[in-house]
Amino acid sequence: MSHADPFERSPDNQPPPLEGYDAIASDAALLDAIRAQAPEGGGAEILASLRELGTAAGSAEAREHGRLANAHPPVLRTADRFGLRIDEVEFHPSWHWMLRTGVGLGLAGAAWTSDEPDAHLRRAAGFVAWTGIEPGHACPMTMTYAAVPALAADPAQAARWTALLASATYDPGLREPTGKAGLLAGMGMTEKQGGSDVRTNSTVATARSSGDYTLRGHKWFTSAPMNDLFFVLAQAPGGLSCFVVPRVRPDGSRNAVRIVRLKDKLGNRSNASAELEFEDAHAVRLGEEGRGVRTIIEMVAATRLDCVLGSAALMRRAVAEASWHAAHRSAFGSVLIEKPAMSGVIADLALESEGATMLALRLAHSVDRRTDPHEIALRRIALPLAKFWVCKRTPPVCVEAMECLGGNGYVEESGMPLLVRESPLNSIWEGSGNVNALDVLRAATRSPDAVQAWRDEVALAGAAALDAAAESVVDELRAAAADPVTGEGRARRIAARMAVVLQGSLLARHSPSYVADAFLASRVEGGDRGVFGALPPSVGPTDTAAIVRRALPHP
């Protein structure tokens, strides 16, 4: 599809479908985010390597498979026709198409074994462009990506599983895992009685003379139960420990992992999330007994990064659909996108999306420099604050973007309801808002170098408004540390402010001035952000129009 005039209207005043284009090459904000974090070459190699992904992400085929994967959710089969327990989940062929393509494009664990200097940045950009089409299948890719760093706790386990988890081959079906061409991983932490308080877990691990363990207990919420391996927490004699639980035992028999039921969720419906029970399930310990949380924390950090990336992906898709619709539909005498009220809304949404994208790719760049002291300190505080803020901003962005399409947006075939249903998930998964906000306070208290790394990043912009905002945040952190009782109540405000200030610094350094100035005026210096489309008067019509043009896909 080619549209020389992005504002071209059809005779029936209906916009053409947003498909048949390169979802990366046509996205100015994403391109700038890639170039900002790429090495001196300006990201040319990364962009060249993403050309196939961008074309696939913008294709009509991908859009249709995404629709079908959600229209036909997974089905649990606990037993075969003879009554034998099988505990399998059946998926629509479009689910397998999405995963085969995503894994094949390197969006699962491949970055960990890549020779590319910026493999995690490349993956992050591809993840943002690809998963907005169909977010559910991102879950097994994310957990597989996150499993690899957790394996570092045990060199023997890492040697056994890393290459298979980093494979670009999607190999579904329950078979002995070491005989497959590629593996997907899952995670089981939460239980009925504890939720995020995993130290109250009651699943029991019993050591065997062979050196492995058996697990008996339950997991309240485990996504992608058809994955090959699960990283789970259980109470061993030495305390809460981490274990690798395969779905198929080394002898080829089914492991005693029972799927009690699939969760009936608000969104993420293409992906199966299950309640599991272990009935003396075979398991191998990962790391030392009693150090389960410390062992699995690397997996948690990586999944939090993907929560930020996934939320940025939803925002980008929502803003693209809204701006595309408004550019191709007329009302009251002119095209919608030229109406000041609509232009103001879309520009405001685009600012939120671009800030999220720039921050998400900055964090991915940090993962490419895992041993750099500044990056280590920055990740310690920037991951939870980004997880808190970006994921929490996604629902209002998606809802407002849906409204830009009017009644058309409320209809399933527009794709907007899927985005709205999906939008709250990443804020809940891997620690809700309170958990992440408190993690920010904990990092600030225990690691002063983390706060300094954040301040150093903000200062790179050389903007007086950002420097003043940073000082104000530091004052709040001191007050919170002085009185922990009231300090906990400040956590969400502090985390939100730190995220916005860091976004502002990144945009001031790497985005056009009309974007950065509007972001600072509306979010750093501005007041109430309760409604989109209420940009301050300093953001004039020319700047608003430029922001909107930047957000509009140009196939």
Side-chain angles (χ1 to χ4, degrees), residues 157 160-161 173-178 180 183-186 212-215 225-232 243-258 276-278 280-285:
Q157 294 267 55
R160 185 179 189 188
W161 302 120
L174 296 183
R175 302 190 304 280
E176 199 281 314
T178 59
K180 299 183 72 174
L183 301 179
L184 295 177
D212 57 7
Y213 290 72
T214 58
L215 302 190
M226 286 299 288
N227 284 4
D228 302 286
L229 305 174
F230 292 93
F231 289 58
V232 305
F243 297 88
V244 177
V245 180
R247 284 284 271 129
V248 177
R249 298 171 184 265
D251 63 6
S253 62
R254 301 287 179 96
N255 206 357
V257 178
R258 308 304 186 202
L276 301 183
E277 287 184 351
F278 302 129
D280 293 328
H282 166 76
V284 180
R285 193 182 75 237

Side-chain angles (χ1 to χ4, degrees), residues 326-337:
H328 294 87
R329 186 166 175 83
S330 297
F332 308 108
S334 63
V335 66
L336 277 175
I337 207 167

Side-chain angles (χ1 to χ4, degrees), residues 198-542:
V198 296
R199 294 189 185 278
T200 65
N201 282 8
S202 60
T203 297
V204 174
T206 303
R208 297 174 39 156
S209 58
S210 59
D212 57 7
Y213 290 72
T214 58
L215 302 190
R216 180 166 284 272
H218 75 281
K219 292 298 172 184
W220 185 238
F221 211 103
T222 303
S223 280
M226 286 299 288
N227 284 4
D228 302 286
L229 305 174
F230 292 93
F231 289 58
V232 305
L233 295 178
Q235 300 289 354
L240 189 65
S241 306
C242 185
F243 297 88
V244 177
V245 180
R247 284 284 271 129
V248 177
R249 298 171 184 265
D251 63 6
S253 62
R254 301 287 179 96
N255 206 357
V257 178
R258 308 304 186 202
I259 303 177
V260 179
R261 58 175 171 166
L262 300 184
K263 301 291 190 177
D264 187 7
K265 299 169 293 182
L266 168 67
N268 206 246
R269 300 189 70 84
S270 66
N271 177 43
S273 298
E275 186 177 340
L276 301 183
E277 287 184 351
F278 302 129
E279 298 179 0
D280 293 328
H282 166 76
V284 180
R285 193 182 75 237
L286 181 65
E288 301 175 23
E289 279 196 7
R291 296 174 67 85
V293 173
R294 183 177 293 272
T295 299
I296 210 168
I297 201 67
E298 287 292 333
M299 193 171 186
V300 171
T303 49
R304 282 183 173 179
L305 171 59
D306 269 19
C307 286
V308 180
L309 291 169
S311 290
L314 292 173
M315 287 195 208
R316 299 216 65 71
R317 169 77 186 276
V319 174
E321 294 286 349
S323 60
W324 183 256
H325 177 90
H328 294 87
R329 186 166 175 83
S330 297
F332 308 108
S334 63
V335 66
L336 277 175
I337 207 167
E338 295 173 345
K339 298 285 189 182
M342 179 63 79
S343 179
V345 169
I346 292 177
D348 210 353
L349 293 172
L351 291 174
E352 196 73 44
S353 176
E354 185 156 350
T357 304
M358 194 67 76
L359 178 55
L361 265 62
R362 174 64 184 90
L363 292 173
H365 168 82
S366 182
V367 177
D368 280 314
R369 286 144 184 78
R370 289 176 62 78
T371 60
D372 183 293
H374 171 76
E375 300 298 337
I376 292 171
L378 182 65
R379 285 196 304 273
R380 193 174 297 127
I381 200 164
L383 265 176
L385 67 84
K387 164 75 164 66
F388 172 81
W389 183 244
V390 172
C391 298
K392 197 159 290 298
R393 293 298 292 162
T394 305
V397 167
C398 289
V399 170
E400 193 71 55
M402 179 174 68
E403 189 174 323
C404 291
L405 276 69
N408 290 322
Y410 204 67
V411 176
E412 285 291 339
E413 61 190 9
S414 73
M416 301 302 284
L418 184 152
L419 301 181
V420 170
R421 287 193 301 271
E422 192 75 17
S423 63
L425 172 61
N426 288 325
S427 192
I428 297 170
W429 186 27
E430 215 57 82
S432 62
N434 283 344
V435 170
N436 280 273
L438 291 172
D439 279 351
V440 171
L441 279 191
R442 192 174 299 110
T445 302
R446 297 179 180 177
S447 306
D449 60 329
V451 177
Q452 187 59 50
W454 173 81
R455 294 184 71 180
D456 291 344
E457 281 287 315
V458 172
L460 290 173
L466 290 168
D467 292 338
E471 286 303 315
S472 177
V473 168
V474 171
D475 289 343
E476 280 233 56
L477 286 170
R478 291 194 189 103
D483 186 354
V485 175
T486 61
E488 184 171 316
R490 299 171 182 256
R492 291 166 74 97
R493 182 171 66 251
I494 290 172
R497 191 62 173 162
M498 291 183 79
V500 169
V501 172
L502 182 53
Q503 286 177 325
S505 175
L506 290 166
L507 294 177
R509 285 180 273 156
H510 304 302
S511 294
S513 59
Y514 58 82
V515 171
D517 292 347
F519 187 95
L520 296 184
S522 60
R523 286 152 170 82
V524 176
E525 301 172 289
D528 180 35
R529 297 299 307 147
V531 59
F532 285 105
L535 292 168
S538 60
V539 184
T542 301

Side-chain angles (χ1 to χ4, degrees), residues 103-128:
V103 172
L105 291 168
L107 301 184
W112 297 106
T113 58
S114 173
D115 294 331
E116 298 177 35
D118 290 88
H120 295 276
L121 174 62
R122 178 204 176 278
R123 175 190 177 270
F127 196 89
V128 169

